[in-house]
Amino acid sequence: MTLGTGTVHGFEARKLLVEAGVDPSDLRLDVYDHVDRGVELALSGFGSERSDLVEGAVSIASDILWRWRAPRPELVAGLVRCLDSPHAHARGDAAMALAGLVSSDSTQEITSAVPALIVAANDSYDRVAGPAALALARLDHPAVREPVHRWLASSSRLPVFQVTSLGQVLQPLVGCADELLPGIRRMLVDSADSEGLRPVLTALAAWGPAVSEGVPELVSTLSTRNVRWACDVLGSIGPAAALTASTLEGFARGVTQPPRHDGSTLMPNGIRRWHGAQNAAWAHWRITGEPEVFLTFVEEAASRGLGYADLGRLAELGPLATRCVTALRPLLESPGPWTRVQAAYAWWRITGDTEAAVPVLLAALEALRSGDADEPCRAAVRYIAQIGAPASAAAPLLEATLSSDRRFPAEFYPAARAALASFGDGPRLRSAGRVRSGRC
């Protein structure tokens, strides 16, 4: 692996470089002219008998494929060979690297990996099975269903993957919801109080209404330390979860105190408020369509400052949250980039004012100039796509980034294209300049 500077820092990768007589500080994989040397070193490591050097090769190859869009079939082939490696860590890391290459915008062809991924996903060693199944799930390959069914059937002991989770594997499989729900419903009961259920609940929240038939089983998690995650699922399901509305209202108002995430109980007399109250309040609104419980919670939070509120969910209220704008306005200048971006989006959704919101979102895009797209930046692109023409000053930078040699997270590409489409044919300010490609 590497740090943000591009210098190779992973222990095994550094070993590989030293073995080849290369000073690790002299190889910068964020500089395009260094990439061919990195490819050469990775290929030499793939053929080693030593596990540490093979792991170093996987690390360097993964880094190159993560940073750059140029097709590198030789590196993909090396990762595929590693799926058969006797070195367990190399196998798991190679499978995870291949899973990371799967997207509609990928420039890497990994079809050749499918047979080995199928074998790996059915391996009894969880380190390789999880990421291999994740790659197959993202490829929408039917072979992923067999291991997933097997894991769901063993729901009393959730699989613990070392480099991924069952929830990550499930998330892209929403199209198989009807087929997988019976096993998921058993798991919700058998593992209701297991921390390992949380990534699964996160995936189910992304599935939304497709999980509606599982509402009775989700009720069983409302009395466990997983209740906050269950609230998110119920809210994403919406009106079909109506039978939980009164319970959620009790949680939101503090009438009922569920277990905390660590299983401890709250102190009496409301000295410690339950940390998931806003999740319950939001879920109650999504289920009932009645905003009063959520608004009351938000207004109480605003009286103490909105810094710890979920501003994305506040934004969903739109003009209903007008009374919160006084507390929201200072957050547009928060020292935290994530808070600034979320506050700008909420401000626009609530007030309709783009003059205050758009500059904050445009500033978050500056990371693209150095070949980065962190979470605040990606969120800003999504929000700009919703705002449309008033944010069209983002067009030059987004266009340059889409044509860059740099590789960005998969979710960036459709969001950037949606933003450009939302600007229409109006005038665009073309002063942003081209994203640095990393070439010297």
Side-chain angles (χ1 to χ4, degrees):
M1 63 181 288
T2 63
L3 300 181
T5 62
T7 304
V8 175
H9 288 274
F11 181 69
E12 290 80 8
R14 292 174 71 88
K15 270 192 173 183
L16 177 58
L17 298 185
V18 171
E19 193 80 11
V22 177
D23 184 341
S25 63
D26 289 341
L27 183 68
R28 294 185 57 90
L29 297 179
D30 62 338
V31 176
Y32 195 83
D33 287 350
H34 289 208
V35 171
D36 285 344
R37 179 62 172 140
V39 171
E40 179 185 338
L41 289 165
L43 294 178
S44 70
F46 282 137
S48 175
E49 296 295 322
R50 288 172 48 182
S51 63
D52 55 345
L53 299 187
V54 177
E55 290 166 25
V58 172
S59 177
I60 292 174
S62 301
D63 202 321
I64 293 170
L65 293 169
W66 178 252
R67 289 180 183 273
W68 301 99
R69 287 173 60 79
R72 295 285 180 178
E74 67 277 37
L75 293 184
V76 174
L79 293 173
V80 172
R81 288 197 302 275
C82 280
L83 295 178
D84 243 353
S85 169
H87 310 304
H89 286 272
R91 285 163 43 214
D93 291 348
M96 197 65 200
L98 290 167
L101 296 178
V102 181
S103 78
S104 58
D105 285 282
S106 178
T107 53
Q108 310 297 335
E109 174 56 62
I110 72 163
T111 305
S112 62
V114 169
L117 288 170
I118 293 172
V119 173
N122 286 282
D123 194 297
S124 60
Y125 185 65
D126 284 341
R127 184 174 182 88
V128 68
L134 176 59
L136 292 171
R138 289 176 174 173
L139 287 167
D140 196 25
H141 197 286
V144 73
R145 298 174 194 171
E146 182 177 343
V148 169
H149 278 301
R150 186 170 64 252
W151 295 325
L152 293 175
S154 304
S155 59
S156 59
R157 48 182 184 84
L158 284 165
V160 180
F161 303 131
Q162 296 181 46
V163 287
T164 186
S165 72
L166 178 56
Q168 286 178 285
V169 176
L170 286 172
Q171 190 155 332
L173 297 179
V174 60
C176 304
D178 289 344
E179 178 185 342
L180 297 175
L181 265 176
I184 290 171
R185 294 174 72 176
R186 286 193 302 273
M187 176 176 286
L188 290 172
V189 174
D190 294 345
S191 301
D193 195 41
S194 169
E195 286 189 36
L197 187 64
R198 292 172 189 175
V200 173
L201 292 171
T202 299
L204 298 183
W207 283 16
V211 196
S212 297
E213 291 184 11
V215 169
E217 288 75 24
L218 283 164
V219 170
S220 65
T221 63
L222 294 179
S223 58
T224 74
R225 55 184 174 168
N226 293 325
V227 55
R228 178 162 65 89
W229 290 265
C231 288
D232 289 345
V233 183
L234 293 166
S236 71
I237 290 171
L243 65 88
T244 65
S246 61
T247 301
L248 295 171
E249 181 175 358
F251 293 164
R253 295 190 185 277
V255 176
T256 310
Q257 303 282 20
R260 293 177 62 79
H261 67 279
D262 60 0
S264 65
T265 56
L266 296 173
M267 297 177 69
N269 304 320
I271 297 173
R272 266 167 74 197
R273 184 165 189 164
W274 179 52
H275 65 289
Q278 67 177 320
N279 303 68
W282 169 82
H284 182 272
W285 169 56
R286 290 290 302 266
I287 290 167
T288 65
E290 298 291 334
E292 188 56 36
V293 171
F294 190 25
L295 274 172
T296 298
F297 177 88
V298 171
E299 287 169 6
E300 289 177 359
S303 69
R304 302 186 301 273
L306 285 172
Y308 295 100
D310 187 329
L311 299 178
R313 289 179 174 175
L314 173 64
E316 291 181 33
L317 284 168
L320 290 172
T322 298
R323 286 169 288 183
C324 299
V325 296
T326 301
L328 180 63
R329 185 64 178 82
L331 298 182
L332 294 172
E333 299 176 2
S334 167
W338 175 252
T339 299
R340 289 197 302 271
V341 167
Q342 294 297 93
Y345 178 57
W347 180 266
W348 172 69
R349 284 293 307 266
I350 295 167
T351 68
D353 172 28
T354 58
E355 289 189 11
V358 168
V360 176
L361 299 177
L362 293 177
L365 302 188
E366 288 299 306
L368 296 172
R369 297 187 189 280
S370 57
D372 191 18
D374 57 16
E375 193 171 2
C377 174
R378 299 196 303 273
V381 176
R382 294 195 301 271
Y383 301 152
I384 284 170
Q386 295 182 42
I387 292 172
S392 62
L397 184 52
L398 293 177
E399 289 170 343
T401 305
L402 286 173
S403 62
S404 170
D405 297 323
R406 292 282 192 181
R407 180 177 185 264
F408 295 88
E411 66 187 84
F412 168 80
Y413 294 96
R417 285 195 293 268
L420 290 170
S422 75
F423 300 154
D425 298 323
R428 298 178 185 172
L429 301 178
R430 297 197 175 273
S431 58
R434 180 173 171 79
V435 173
R436 288 202 299 259
S437 69
R439 299 180 190 272
C440 296

